[in-house]
């Protein structure tokens, strides 16, 4: 194939691909002349261009929306945004103490809740109740109404409590879960 600025892409038979494109008609054989209908190169080009037109027509007619994965990544980034100034003292036998941001703890707890099928953690508020690492947590949830089970809230409660103890080293004195939204999944 040769490329020429004036003519575009030339087929081996000498016909310009642009001319073949201009003569396409999806209803029937179109305005093709005798050469285009009998030439193997022009016929192959017409077939490819018609297939391309059909596929792009299908793609153009589809409604595109963000994937759930993209939405989840965006929400994780939003949740991780700023406000790391509230620190939580972790229980430690060592002198000097250890602190962690409340936001980091909230992220761990939300992740634990998100691991339950049909559940998405929304907001997570942590309130320190004492200096020994005991906290109260209020978390709101969104649930998939088609996949959500009656035992899911209990499972969220178990996973959040386990994550608090095993991954962060804190004790939950109280865990309030509120289902505030439904979504389609």
């Amino acid at each position: 194939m040769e490329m020429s600025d004036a003519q575009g892409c030339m087929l081996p038979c000498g016909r310009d691909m642009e001319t073949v494109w201009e003569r396409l008609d999806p209803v029937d054989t179109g305005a093709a002349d005798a050469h285009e209908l009998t030439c193997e190169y022009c016929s192959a080009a017409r077939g490819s261009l018609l297939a391309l037109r059909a596929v792009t027509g299908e793609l153009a007619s589809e409604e595109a929306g963000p994937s759930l994965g993209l939405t989840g990544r965006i929400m994780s980034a939003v949740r991780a945004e700023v406000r790391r100034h509230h620190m939580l003292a972790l229980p430690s036998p060592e002198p000097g103490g250890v602190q962690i941001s409340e936001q980091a703890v909230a992220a761990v707890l939300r992740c634990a809740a998100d691991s339950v099928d049909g559940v998405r953690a929304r907001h997570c508020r942590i309130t320190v109740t004492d200096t020994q690492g005991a906290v109260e947590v209020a978390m709101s949830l969104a649930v998939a109404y088609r996949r959500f089970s009656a035992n899911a809230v209990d499972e969220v409660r178990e996973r959040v409590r386990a994550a608090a103890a095993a991954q962060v080293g804190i004790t939950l004195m109280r865990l309030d879960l509120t289902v505030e939204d439904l979504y389609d999944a």
Side-chain angles (χ1 to χ4, degrees):
M1 277 192 207
E2 296 177 352
M3 286 296 287
S4 166
D5 290 336
Q7 294 178 323
C9 181
M10 296 297 288
L11 296 172
C13 65
R15 202 47 79 94
D16 181 8
M17 185 73 127
E18 188 71 25
T19 303
V20 176
W21 176 259
E22 290 172 359
R23 293 181 181 194
L24 285 181
D25 184 357
V27 176
D28 54 25
T29 60
D33 61 13
H35 170 83
E36 288 178 10
L37 295 176
T38 58
C39 172
E40 66 178 295
Y41 304 112
C42 290
S43 294
R46 283 180 63 76
S48 295
L49 291 172
L50 285 170
L52 177 63
R53 180 183 278 178
V55 170
T56 54
E58 287 177 26
L59 289 174
S61 68
E62 289 181 9
E63 287 188 31
S67 68
L68 290 178
L70 174 63
T71 304
R73 288 192 309 270
I74 290 170
M75 289 308 298
S76 292
V78 168
R79 290 177 186 143
E81 196 61 35
V82 294
R83 292 193 297 264
R84 296 190 188 275
H85 60 279
H86 296 286
M87 300 300 284
L88 174 66
L90 296 178
S92 173
E94 302 299 321
V98 177
Q99 291 187 336
I100 187 171
S101 75
E102 287 182 11
Q103 184 166 3
V105 174
V108 169
L109 301 182
R110 280 194 306 269
C111 185
D114 287 347
S115 69
V116 176
D117 189 38
V119 175
R120 290 184 190 160
R122 286 262 177 108
H123 306 287
C124 183
R125 188 182 71 240
I126 299 172
T127 306
V128 178
T129 59
D130 65 25
T131 59
Q132 304 302 314
V135 298
E136 292 181 357
V137 173
M139 183 181 295
S140 61
L141 308 171
V143 297
Y145 68 90
R146 291 188 182 150
R147 295 190 326 210
F148 188 70
S149 70
N151 298 327
V153 173
D154 292 333
E155 191 173 348
V156 168
R157 188 174 304 283
E158 289 174 20
R159 290 190 189 184
V160 168
R161 284 191 182 280
Q167 295 178 2
V168 182
I170 59 174
T171 303
L172 297 185
M173 296 303 290
R174 180 179 178 146
L175 175 58
D176 294 329
L177 298 174
T178 305
V179 177
E180 70 176 22
D181 198 8
L182 297 174
Y183 66 94
D184 188 16

